[in-house]
Amino acid sequence: MFRIHCPHCQEVRSEEEFSYAGEAHIPRPADPSSLSDAEWGEYLHTRTNPRGPHREMWVHTAGCRRYFNVLRDTVSYEILAVYRVGEMPPERGEA
Amino acid sequence: MSEPPGVVCRECPDRVFANVRGDSGDLRLRRAVAQVAGLDLPREPGTWNRADRSRAYWLGPDEWLLVVEGDDGLALEERLRDALDGPFSVADVTGAQVQLELSGPDAGKVLQKSSPYDFHPRKFPPGRCAQTVFSKTTALVAAREDGAFDVVFRRSYADYLMRWLADAAAEYGYRLE
Ligand SMILES: [Zn+2]
């Protein structure tokens, strides 16, 4: 069970209020129709799936309903940092 | 044998609800709401303000729930639209919402049974509000000065949640008004 700090509510809330929303920082291609099927498939489906720190999106579904980013260690499950959409992820995780 | 109930639940059928969205720093928005509802939109996350017959609850950094007693939802929306000049959104959501007051010495215990959120007065003093998981659905809960709580939830869950509250509060003594 995670305890997640929502950067909008500015409170630590229980995991059941949140939903996971996939890997963060994947830009949508500017001109999708110019891509090959392989390139479009890459954008849609290929993820880094790292062992260790992972930058991911969460949404505060039962709370403010806003999206934000989380830097989470996929081995220890430790949440290293939380930051807003539009902000750059911290280099090393420091919550 | 007739001890006072630990939890009293009162329906508030005379409330109308408007969802208001916009830049919280924009004076045009704040002035329009102040003019129509007589209160300031709270900018601090998880807080609410009240005036005589109106309340404004923080829902998100650019979103509020405005609740007015004894009004007409569509008329409220229209008055807000008339007063607003800028990139703002107002929607009458009266048909979607129900408001209750939970009072009594054990009201907080019933909330605590219903949600993972910490409703202890140390953490959730008067003036605070939170949208959170509530039983198998969600609710907006606000702490009042008189120690009671305002609870707002979706109308379509009303039957379910009223049964849930009656069951959760039964051990403390429950009265529905
Ligand atoms: Zn939130």
Side-chain angles (χ1 to χ4, degrees):
Chain A
M1 169 68 86
F2 291 125
R3 301 273 294 156
I4 302 174
H5 182 268
C6 173
H8 304 290
C9 294
Q10 294 176 23
E11 267 191 324
V12 175
R13 299 288 193 96
S14 176
E15 180 182 349
E16 62 192 286
E17 295 188 5
F18 298 89
S19 309
Y20 177 66
E23 185 172 354
H25 306 292
I26 298 175
R28 183 181 168 84
D31 184 11
S33 58
S34 71
L35 299 186
S36 68
D37 285 353
E39 287 168 330
W40 183 245
E42 179 82 5
Y43 161 69
L44 283 186
H45 303 298
T46 306
R47 298 294 180 260
T48 56
N49 194 26
R51 185 175 164 79
H54 184 230
R55 298 176 303 189
E56 54 201 22
M57 292 186 292
W58 286 73
V59 55
H60 195 183
T61 318
C64 63
R65 297 182 296 281
R66 292 329 185 260
Y67 284 81
F68 57 95
N69 297 315
V70 172
L71 182 67
R72 183 179 65 91
D73 191 305
T74 59
V75 178
S76 67
Y77 278 30
E78 184 185 355
I79 291 175
L80 303 166
V82 169
Y83 56 103
R84 293 176 193 225
V85 170
E87 290 177 356
M88 291 306 291
E91 278 302 312
R92 297 296 310 167
E94 267 167 48
Chain B
M1 281 303 287
S2 61
E3 285 179 25
V7 180
V8 177
C9 176
R10 192 172 76 84
E11 286 185 68
C12 311
D14 61 336
R15 306 286 159 87
V16 300
F17 303 82
N19 183 284
V20 178
R21 298 199 63 175
D23 178 352
S24 66
D26 196 318
L27 271 178
R28 293 173 297 177
L29 174 64
R30 313 182 65 73
R31 284 204 195 105
V33 171
Q35 180 194 321
V36 171
L39 48 66
D40 199 24
L41 290 176
R43 296 176 74 178
E44 179 76 20
T47 64
W48 63 289
N49 289 342
R50 73 166 299 172
D52 193 20
R53 288 166 55 233
S54 328
R55 292 142 208 232
Y57 302 93
W58 186 96
L59 300 181
D62 58 2
E63 185 176 9
W64 296 267
L65 182 68
L66 200 59
V67 182
V68 180
E69 289 173 33
D71 205 322
D72 173 273
L74 273 176
L76 173 67
E77 180 187 305
E78 249 164 55
R79 289 204 305 281
L80 284 164
R81 282 186 189 285
D82 288 344
L84 283 168
D85 170 30
F88 311 117
S89 145
V90 180
D92 169 33
V93 291
T94 304
Q97 313 275 340
V98 175
Q99 182 160 12
L100 301 174
E101 288 171 11
L102 272 189
S103 59
D106 298 311
K109 289 182 197 156
V110 169
L111 294 180
Q112 215 56 83
K113 278 188 185 184
S114 310
S115 172
Y117 191 81
D118 182 2
F119 291 108
H120 191 284
R122 189 177 54 233
K123 171 89 192 310
F124 195 67
R128 296 288 301 178
C129 65
Q131 297 173 96
T132 182
V133 170
F134 200 94
S135 185
K136 302 280 188 194
T137 177
T138 59
L140 166 69
V141 181
R144 307 188 337 187
E145 288 294 341
D146 60 5
F149 300 92
D150 288 328
V151 184
V152 179
F153 51 88
R154 291 192 194 90
R155 186 175 295 275
S156 51
Y157 285 95
D159 181 60
Y160 164 69
L161 268 181
M162 295 307 282
R163 289 167 193 266
W164 166 272
L165 287 172
D167 185 56
E171 64 172 301
Y172 310 114
Y174 179 67
R175 189 173 73 222
L176 176 64
E177 294 183 344

